[in-house]
Amino acid sequence: MNQERKLWIAFILITTISLGVLGYFGHEIYQKAPPLPQRVVTTTGEVIFQGQDIKDGQNVWQSMGGQEVGSVWGHGAYLAPDWTADWLHREALYILNRWSKSEYGISYETLPSEKQAGLERRLQIELRKNTYDPETGDITVSPIRAEAIEYLNSYYAGLFMENPELDELRNNYAIPKNAIKDAARMRQMSGFFFWATWACVTERPDSDISYTHNWPAEELVGNKPTGNLLIWTGVSIILLLIGVGGMVFYHARLREEHMPEMPVEDPLMRQILTPSMVAIKKYIWVVSILILIQVTAGVVTAHYGVEGDAFYGFDLASTLPYAISRTWHVQLGILWIATAWLATGLYIAPSVAGKDPKYQKLGVNFLFICILIIVLGSMAGQWMGVMQKLGLETNFWFGHQGYEYVDLGRFWQIFLCIGLFVWLALMFRPLIPVIRSKTAEKGLLTMFLVASAAIAIFYAAGLMWGRQTNLAIAEYWRWWVVHLWVEGFFEVFATVVSAFLFVRLGLLRTKTATVTVILSTVIFLSGGILGTFHHLYFSGTPTAIMAIGATFSALEVVPLVLIGYEAYENYRLSKATKWLVDYKWPIYCLVAVAFWNFFGAGILGFIINPPLALYYIQGLNTTSAHAHGALFGVYGMLGIGLILFTLRSMYRIQKWNDRLIGFAFWSINIGLMLMLVLSLLPMGILQAIASVNEGMWYARSAEFLKGPGMDNIKWLRIIGDTIFAIGLFAFVWFVFALNRKQHTAEGKRPGEESKNI
């Protein structure tokens, strides 16, 4: 049995077993998720919330931006509070103060420490006891807790509506007045906040930990790190060290293979440009426009963190609130990167066959129109949802679903899913005949199609939750999309495409590339699939999720220890022959991808992955630093690199303006690094210290985020943001300049140079 066949078997086994385990524990999550009650009642029988109020409240929360306005269970935006941590702390203080004034005549804060300890212990008994009755479906609360609920409902109504006493706090959280316009809706959202917080402190049946594994940290109610959390943190670190050692040893044993004989001239110059390949130009133009919109939305979103509901004094929030600017910033990042990759796939597939199947160009153009409709339609629907112009059911279908990275309404989700399968068909049609001919590229092309199929199939996981699905279950499926789709099979697709391009350029042997790609995929998916669970430690999941997530998320980092070697190899290949100077910047983008894979995905990712670390810093700007470094640094730079490869092949006889594209490349990467080291990381580290010392509620509070020096750190971000944005504008200028000069180069023979662009 040859090496390639063994690796294919390993790939199938790893994928099948890992998805089977993921599915089994998904069933466990369904069974053991925090129960949604039929009613919330007092011990005297008074009904506080109907179960339907809580379900509708979840939809109200989603309609006003959901995870784009603060967070719940640590998932979401970083500017406003985590509402579960905020509710829990305010509820605890309210009850403690009521007891203290009733029994001692003074506030809880002024009590002697021994009496404070006595009240805190009584509070823990009060809040941690599980009073859910599975037979009646009721959650029963004491009169004092019912009183606290009414107090908090009044407080949040004032915050999300228009209490003038909360204007400054509302401004600090970048929440516009009347974000919720209806009092009935507001009470329903309070019901959802109560239930989500109830799960944070209520102990599971026959257990001494809460449904969220005692998250968030809150000394007053006894939420502290558990023994399991500490144990699995240690296990994850040990496994990381073992995995790194094993990977280095395995790599040292590999016999370095000599590079193939370099082609005398660029092989892509002999490649036929089919009509469907030429039609890819408009995809690249749209990607460029989406980049500009996304970076503009990012600038606005970052500025809201300093000025609240204004943009340099202009009342922008009344028409473009933070929830929308952040939604568009996150969503367009995913969409332009995905579109760049889809375009590259559509360009590569017919280039291999050397011709278009029948109606291929029509299919490419049809898919392009669909993408435009999805982007514009979903953006408009999200704006209408957040501005409270849609009913709850209409909002679910056409507005804002409130789940970070999958905010677009269900109709647009379905539309995009269908579009991905159309793309998959357009990929299969030209490649299947080539694979059937059993060329040397068969294995690599098969892996290319497998990765493409996974992109289409795994996005469909986003259709697995309904409008009123339990949040714990919705989070399980959401992370299928965010982790498996974006972080998982996007990575596989990236690996395959990069290797394939080097093969097409004659820089790698086909057999070597095929074996390397399958091996890399096996190693990555070994930790990557089950590593999904590290996002779900504190999302109402069973303890086993923590054990599996901690174990396998550590293994995700292992392949990244050799990224430096990958970067060097890519750089070495760029120097292999003289004509490769034309591919300098596309290859440099792959070198940058390797760097950001190590720093953004690896280092910044592992900082927040171990259970103990995540317990304190989930939902802080440390996560934002990882997201920017990994999503843009890895996938964004790869998207730009793939676009440049495609443009180099498409505009064959034009000499590039190296100064312009070089300026863009370095500005983007330097700006991104400055954004992280000057602002996001320092702010995240300070928040982490505050979270350990005081609790999550404090690390996310206006009191802390508006404290001494914090605004200065936020303003420092403008340095990196500006350099980054200028670099992206330069890149877009370069793309459109190529097209503008195209006619100058047309009609010249291959090898002739056009003027600098």
Side-chain angles (χ1 to χ4, degrees):
M1 186 181 297
N2 62 36
Q3 185 180 15
E4 184 177 330
R5 184 177 177 84
K6 290 178 181 177
L7 287 172
W8 274 111
I9 293 173
F11 167 73
I12 293 169
L13 287 175
I14 288 292
T15 305
T16 303
I17 293 171
S18 297
L19 289 176
V21 174
L22 198 67
Y24 171 79
F25 282 101
H27 177 265
E28 290 292 293
I29 292 172
Y30 270 81
Q31 300 302 312
K32 298 178 181 179
L36 282 164
Q38 294 294 321
R39 301 183 306 170
V40 178
V41 300
T42 67
T43 52
T44 59
E46 178 188 355
V47 178
I48 302 174
F49 298 114
Q50 295 287 349
Q52 192 59 45
D53 291 332
I54 295 172
K55 293 178 181 179
D56 289 341
Q58 181 173 336
N59 295 152
V60 174
W61 166 70
Q62 291 170 291
S63 74
M64 54 84 68
Q67 291 175 341
E68 305 296 353
V69 183
S71 58
V72 169
W73 294 348
H75 296 306
Y78 314 105
L79 181 55
D82 180 90
W83 302 114
T84 42
D86 190 65
W87 179 296
L88 184 59
H89 185 72
R90 291 178 184 278
E91 181 181 23
L93 284 181
Y94 181 87
I95 294 174
L96 288 171
N97 271 310
R98 286 285 286 111
W99 283 341
S100 180
K101 288 178 181 178
S102 172
E103 297 175 21
Y104 303 108
I106 56 175
S107 67
Y108 161 77
E109 288 83 357
T110 58
L111 277 179
S113 58
E114 66 273 13
K115 291 182 179 177
Q116 283 185 340
L119 291 182
E120 288 171 14
R121 182 56 190 151
R122 190 199 306 180
L123 177 70
Q124 293 165 17
I125 295 171
E126 171 78 25
L127 298 187
R128 298 188 72 84
K129 183 180 179 182
N130 194 331
T131 59
Y132 173 73
D133 186 341
E135 293 185 4
T136 64
D138 288 348
I139 291 175
T140 304
V141 298
S142 64
I144 186 66
R145 194 169 189 186
E147 188 179 318
I149 291 170
E150 293 307 315
Y151 159 76
L152 286 166
N153 177 64
S154 176
Y155 165 74
Y156 285 115
L159 181 64
F160 286 99
M161 298 179 79
E162 55 178 348
N163 184 344
E165 295 178 3
L166 297 176
D167 282 349
E168 183 180 356
L169 186 60
R170 190 184 302 114
N171 176 70
N172 289 337
Y173 293 153
I175 298 173
K177 283 186 178 180
N178 289 315
I180 302 295
K181 294 178 168 57
D182 180 77
R185 279 192 172 195
M186 187 61 242
R187 183 167 182 82
Q188 289 171 336
M189 191 166 82
S190 293
F192 170 67
F193 283 175
F194 161 77
W195 171 80
T197 307
W198 175 86
C200 291
V201 69
T202 300
E203 293 177 350
R204 287 179 176 273
D206 303 317
S207 176
D208 59 356
I209 62 171
S210 74
Y211 285 98
T212 60
H213 217 98
N214 286 0
W215 189 93
E218 178 58 77
E219 292 282 345
L220 296 177
V221 300
N223 269 9
K224 300 177 182 179
T226 65
N228 279 332
L229 188 144
L230 296 172
I231 289 169
W232 289 109
T233 296
V235 168
S236 70
I237 294 172
I238 292 169
L239 283 174
L240 172 65
L241 295 174
I242 292 173
V244 168
M247 179 63 66
V248 171
F249 176 76
Y250 178 79
H251 188 266
R253 289 188 60 197
L254 292 178
R255 179 175 58 86
E256 185 175 349
E257 187 166 342
H258 295 294
M259 293 171 61
E261 185 178 346
M262 294 296 104
V264 177
E265 61 180 26
D266 182 356
L268 296 187
M269 284 294 186
R270 301 189 298 270
Q271 181 176 272
I272 297 172
L273 280 178
T274 69
S276 75
M277 292 167 68
V278 175
I280 297 303
K281 286 182 184 179
K282 52 182 168 288
Y283 282 78
I284 296 174
W285 300 338
V286 166
V287 166
S288 301
I289 293 170
L290 292 182
I291 288 174
L292 295 184
I293 298 173
Q294 193 227 353
V295 73
T296 302
V299 169
V300 172
T301 302
H303 189 79
Y304 276 140
V306 177
E307 206 174 342
D309 58 1
F311 187 75
Y312 293 103
F314 177 69
D315 181 22
L316 186 62
S318 59
T319 52
L320 187 68
Y322 175 88
I324 285 297
S325 68
R326 189 177 190 276
T327 297
W328 289 353
H329 178 61
V330 172
Q331 178 176 296
L332 290 178
I334 296 290
L335 288 176
W336 79 252
I337 291 169
T339 303
W341 294 23
L342 300 187
T344 303
L346 292 173
Y347 189 84
I348 287 176
S351 75
V352 176
K355 63 179 181 178
D356 282 337
K358 196 172 183 180
Y359 304 123
Q360 182 77 0
K361 181 180 177 181
L362 177 64
V364 169
N365 290 334
F366 173 74
L367 182 60
F368 175 77
I369 294 170
C370 291
I371 291 174
L372 282 183
I373 294 172
I374 291 166
V375 171
L376 297 176
S378 62
M379 290 174 69
Q382 286 158 350
W383 184 86
M384 293 182 69
V386 169
M387 301 304 286
Q388 300 292 286
K389 296 180 181 294
L390 302 175
L392 296 183
E393 188 168 351
T394 305
N395 176 73
F396 172 77
W397 282 98
F398 298 100
H400 199 304
Q401 281 204 57
Y403 293 133
E404 193 178 26
Y405 294 106
V406 281
D407 301 281
L408 62 171
R410 177 53 52 87
F411 172 80
W412 307 112
Q413 272 188 304
I414 295 172
F415 199 167
L416 179 55
C417 191
I418 293 171
L420 289 173
F421 278 97
V422 171
W423 170 74
L424 185 60
L426 292 172
M427 298 282 286
F428 266 73
R429 293 173 73 239
L431 290 180
I432 288 299
V434 179
I435 292 174
R436 285 176 177 169
S437 66
K438 297 183 179 179
T439 64
E441 294 178 330
K442 177 184 176 181
L444 195 58
L445 290 175
T446 301
M447 197 67 200
F448 182 64
L449 289 181
V450 168
S452 301
I455 287 177
I457 292 168
F458 281 90
Y459 183 75
L463 307 178
M464 298 302 292
W465 66 79
R467 182 168 68 91
Q468 297 190 326
T469 297
N470 187 306
L471 182 61
I473 295 169
E475 280 292 284
Y476 167 73
W477 288 113
R478 183 173 77 91
W479 285 108
W480 271 64
V481 178
V482 180
H483 186 90
L484 281 183
W485 189 61
V486 177
E487 298 181 45
F489 288 99
F490 264 32
E491 182 82 22
V492 175
F493 185 81
T495 303
V496 177
V497 170
S498 300
F500 186 80
L501 289 173
F502 282 132
V503 168
R504 299 294 285 177
L505 289 171
L507 305 179
L508 284 178
R509 291 187 174 90
T510 303
K511 182 179 179 180
T512 302
T514 303
V515 169
T516 302
V517 163
I518 303 174
L519 176 61
S520 299
T521 301
V522 168
I523 293 171
F524 181 77
L525 293 183
S526 295
I529 294 178
L530 292 178
T532 303
F533 283 149
H534 82 255
H535 298 285
L536 298 172
Y537 294 156
F538 313 119
S539 297
T541 55
T543 304
I545 297 299
M546 179 175 293
I548 296 171
T551 300
F552 287 92
S553 66
L555 297 179
E556 285 184 89
V557 185
V558 170
L560 303 182
V561 299
L562 298 178
I563 284 297
Y565 176 80
E566 178 187 332
Y568 172 74
E569 283 298 295
N570 289 341
Y571 176 77
R572 185 166 69 101
L573 289 174
S574 73
K575 305 293 184 182
T577 187
K578 186 177 180 180
W579 57 264
L580 269 172
V581 69
D582 289 341
Y583 293 90
K584 173 182 177 180
W585 297 110
I587 293 176
Y588 269 37
C589 284
L590 296 184
V591 175
V593 167
F595 169 78
W596 288 111
N597 230 332
F598 174 71
F599 181 71
I603 294 178
L604 298 183
F606 190 72
I607 285 173
I608 64 175
N609 274 4
L612 184 59
L614 202 59
Y615 180 78
Y616 287 108
I617 64 179
Q618 177 163 288
L620 304 184
N621 276 284
T622 44
T623 305
S624 180
H626 164 60
H628 281 81
L631 183 58
F632 189 93
V634 178
Y635 299 124
M637 284 308 300
L638 181 61
I640 289 173
L642 294 180
I643 287 174
L644 292 177
F645 267 116
T646 303
L647 290 174
R648 183 69 271 174
S649 173
M650 194 176 292
Y651 297 95
R652 301 179 177 191
I653 60 176
Q654 291 180 244
K655 185 175 180 180
W656 282 13
N657 186 341
D658 273 353
R659 287 186 178 180
L660 180 59
I661 190 60
F663 172 79
F665 174 83
W666 289 114
S667 293
I668 291 169
N669 284 282
I670 292 172
L672 180 58
M673 179 58 76
L674 290 176
M675 187 192 308
L676 300 182
V677 300
L678 293 182
S679 183
L680 291 177
L681 272 176
M683 190 157 42
I685 291 169
L686 290 174
Q687 282 186 296
I689 295 170
S691 178
V692 171
N693 291 332
E694 303 291 339
M696 175 62 64
W697 69 271
Y698 181 68
R700 291 283 297 273
S701 69
E703 178 185 356
F704 177 77
L705 291 175
K706 289 294 181 179
M710 292 302 291
D711 271 352
N712 292 335
I713 295 176
K714 293 176 186 176
W715 275 111
L716 281 174
R717 180 170 169 177
I718 201 171
I719 299 172
D721 283 10
T722 301
I723 296 172
F724 179 75
I726 290 172
L728 284 173
F729 273 84
F731 168 75
V732 172
W733 179 270
F734 174 83
V735 170
F736 282 105
L738 274 177
N739 182 67
R740 200 168 60 247
K741 292 290 186 178
Q742 178 186 14
H743 297 294
T744 303
E746 283 179 351
K748 293 187 178 183
R749 294 185 302 275
E752 290 182 330
E753 293 182 351
S754 67
K755 296 178 182 179
N756 277 346
I757 299 162

